Structures are given as C-alpha cells and as structure tokens.
Amino acid sequence: MSADAYGAIRTIYPWRSRAETYVTVPMLALVLFQGAAVVETATPGYWTAAVAKANLMLFIVVPLCAVCAAWEGMRHRSGGIDTQTIARPKWTVVFVAVGPTLVMGLAGVVAAVLSTAPAAVGAPGGPHLGLVGVYLLVMVGHTVVGYGLGRWLPPALALPVSLGGSYIWLAYPAAVEPFWIRHLNGLSFEGCCAIDQQPDARALLAAALFAVGIGAGTLVALAGARPAHVGGALSFTALLVVAVTVAAPLGPSSGGPRAGAPQCVGQRPTLCLWPEQETARDAIHPALASAYPRLAAVGVTLPETVTSQESNAADAVFIVLPAESDPQTAVLSLVSSIVPDTVPACAAEGEWPGAHNRAALLVWMALAAGVPASELGPVAPPELIDLAVRVRQLDEDRQAAWYRANLAPLADCTTVPRLDPELFASDDPQ
C-alpha cells in the first residue's frame, strides 16, 4: 500500500468511527423541518422574535451534541486515556475530542436561526447576537458535560444519561416553579418577543452563567483525580449561585421592555412606531386621524398620542400592531385599547351585570370610528353587530349617552346595563 493511500485511510477512519458523521444530516433535517413548522408563530417582521423562536430547535440540537460527545468520552474511557501519560494539557485533549461535535452543534444553531429567519427577512436590523451567543453556550456546556459523562460512567449508562439528562433539563423547568429555574437552561426565550419587547438581560446572563458553569465545572473535574473533582464541583456551584441570584427577580417571562423608543410623528394623533412598523405609517395615520373626530363626536375621550410602546402615560394610548399593519387593524387596536378591560372584585363570584358590555362597546366604537359593519364579521357575533348598528342610528348626543350609561357597568358590580338603544330613542340624553 502506498504512503498516500495509507494517509488517506488514516484520515477517513476516525470520521467513520465518530457519531457526528451519521447524526449531523438527520439533525439538520429535523431542525429545518421543525423550524418551518413554527416560523409562522413568530412575531412577523421582527428579527429578535424570529431568533427567539429558534430557541425551540435547541431541543433537537443540544441533546444530540451531548450524546455524541458522550460517545467520544466512552471511546477515551475504553482506551484508558486516564492511565496514560499525555504531553498535551487535558483540556486540549477534551476539545480535540469534542471539536467535531462543536462544529455539528454550531451548524445546528445556525440552521435553527435560518429556519425561523423568514419571519424577519427584509426587516430592519439583524439577528439578536445575545440570543445566538446563549444558544451556543448552552450547546457547548451540554457537549462538554456529555463528554465527561462518557468518561466517568459505564457505557451502558453514559449514552442514555447524557441524552435523557440533557433533554429533561431543557424541557422540565418550564413546567415548575419558582420561575427563576426556567431561566437557567436557556430555553425560556421561545415566547419572546412582541415588537415592543426584547430578551431581558437577566435571563440572558443567567442562562449564560449556568451553561458556562456546567462546562467549566466538567473541564476542571476532568483535569485529574479527587482534588480536580472537588474543584469542578466548586466551580459549578459558584457560577450556579451567581446565575440563581441573577434570575431570582424574574417572573415567568424572559421578555422585557425594548431598548430605545419608537419614532413619534404627526398630530391628532401623534403616532409612535418602531422601525419595523414605519412602512405602514402612511396608511395607518390617516385612518387614525379620521377616527379621532368621529369618536370625539360621540363622547369618546381620546389621548393626544398613539404609541406601539407600552405606556401608562395619561396622554398616550398603547396599541398592538404587527410590523405590516393595515388601517383597519390599527383602528380596531385603538378601539380595544380605549375601552377599559377592568374586572370588578365580584367577578370572582360569577358573572356580574356588565360582563358583556365591553364586547358591545367595542363593536359600537369600531363602527363609530369608521370600520364598516361588513368587516366586523370575523371579530364579532351578528347579534352584537346588529345592536351596534341600531345604536349608530341614534343622533350623536344619544349615542354619547348610551356610551356613558354602558361604560360604568364594566367596573361596577351594581350598575345595570342599558344596551337597548330604544331606551335612548325617546329619553333625553343623560
């Protein structure tokens, strides 16, 4: 056999014996398939939301990386690497062993982001690098732990423990309390983010610290005998304590207010939109500007500013708009924000007198704002549309009286609703 042929065999053989050679393609196929199934659930036109949705695909990528690394750890265990004298530092041996697994994991994370990117292609900005960085750290941490399990556990346990343990840690915390546990595994970002949100820095840091903790602790423990094992445990514990401290104030959501502020332009109303919504401004603002005097004529008090950033300011109303919005959606969102959504204390005991008033007020206000009745079919039952149309046949003063009379029962346990427009047809407006 020639030297060249022998060299080629030596190059090919290790790859034939590695699990990644057989796992990578199916893994990428699963990631892309799952991504195509969930991309439509991401907030459209917003890069941060698209990358956050890629979080789901870590359920596929990370456990497979852990089990592939465990396979390589088993091979080193069976080869007696702990009993041999090795010139290179042991951490170098570890990373040479798991290098191909890390490449596979990197490809998996990239594929996950690419699979959900169609939800944001063409939007301003780009992928959220903090999220991508956390995904990579989680993958690396589980990979190193998987290798350690392969070195320490009997072959019959190493593979199932690394695969099952990785998957359970990624999946289980989402179903338990306290809430801070959910932010340690790096899989709490799937529900983030609406267009006025971004991942909370604490959630990102907590997940990063935990991933670094399990990886660093395993590396230290692999460096030698009992003192190294103690050092590894101490390293992990220290980073775990810091991660828990960071995550403890968080609630169930990993999202927080978006940095910066939307751009505010126009008058009556001043309309504040995020960069992703700017292309819809020219269509949205005229519709809102038309709705303002129409609603004011029937007694609806309106703030000067309409904003897509959540706000408690008295002179601003928060509306929920997609990146690619249309005039009707904007007006319906305005109406929904204006009608109070309060629930009185007596609601805990059952239905109160005004329990159905909000739906009636929403439909009437949408009609008053200029939304055609024919467009309300998908969002309201026919009987409510018919009621609102009959109220709209009253003059403006009587509509204002109807509005005031039926607004009070929303947050009141005793006021009786007066939804029938006939009650206002002959009475003086009150």
Side-chain angles (χ1 to χ4, degrees), residues 13-23 63-79 97-98 100-101 104 142-163:
Y13 177 75
W15 287 101
R16 290 182 59 189
S17 64
R18 292 199 66 105
E20 296 87 348
T21 304
Y22 309 97
V23 169
L64 288 178
C65 287
V67 76
C68 286
W71 174 263
E72 197 63 21
M74 286 169 48
R75 294 177 64 202
H76 281 190
R77 174 190 172 98
S78 64
V98 301
T101 310
M104 182 185 81
H142 283 243
T143 298
V144 174
V145 171
Y147 174 82
L149 292 174
R151 286 274 297 272
W152 296 324
L153 296 180
L157 291 178
L159 295 184
V161 169
S162 59
L163 180 65

Side-chain angles (χ1 to χ4, degrees), residues 34-57 112-121 123 131 135 189-197 276 321-324:
Q34 178 70 12
V38 303
V39 65
E40 292 184 359
T41 65
T43 301
Y46 185 32
W47 271 108
T48 299
V51 176
K53 189 61 66 173
N55 202 204
L56 283 172
M57 272 58 77
V113 173
L114 289 177
S115 70
T116 57
V121 170
L131 281 171
Y135 298 167
F189 302 103
E190 181 268 329
C192 176
C193 303
I195 206 163
D196 64 330
Q197 293 181 315
E276 294 81 4
L321 290 178
E324 297 181 2

Side-chain angles (χ1 to χ4, degrees), residues 9 16 38-39 43-44 58 89 93 99 127 162 170 194 240 262 308 344 350 353 382 416-417 429:
I9 291 175
R16 290 182 59 189
V38 303
V39 65
T43 301
L58 294 192
V93 174
S162 59
L170 294 176
L240 174 62
S308 55
V416 177

Side-chain angles (χ1 to χ4, degrees), residues 344 346-347 350-358 406 408-419:
C346 61
E351 191 170 279
W352 73 103
H356 302 291
N357 274 34
R358 187 172 191 270
N406 289 293
L410 292 180
D412 179 311
C413 296
T414 58
T415 303
V416 177
R418 300 173 64 198
L419 291 173

Side-chain angles (χ1 to χ4, degrees), residues 78-121:
S78 64
I81 194 171
D82 289 326
T83 62
Q84 298 179 18
T85 301
I86 303 174
R88 291 182 295 180
K90 291 193 175 183
W91 66 266
T92 305
V93 174
V94 174
F95 277 107
V96 168
V98 301
T101 310
L102 296 178
V103 172
M104 182 185 81
L106 174 62
V109 171
V110 170
V113 173
L114 289 177
S115 70
T116 57
V121 170

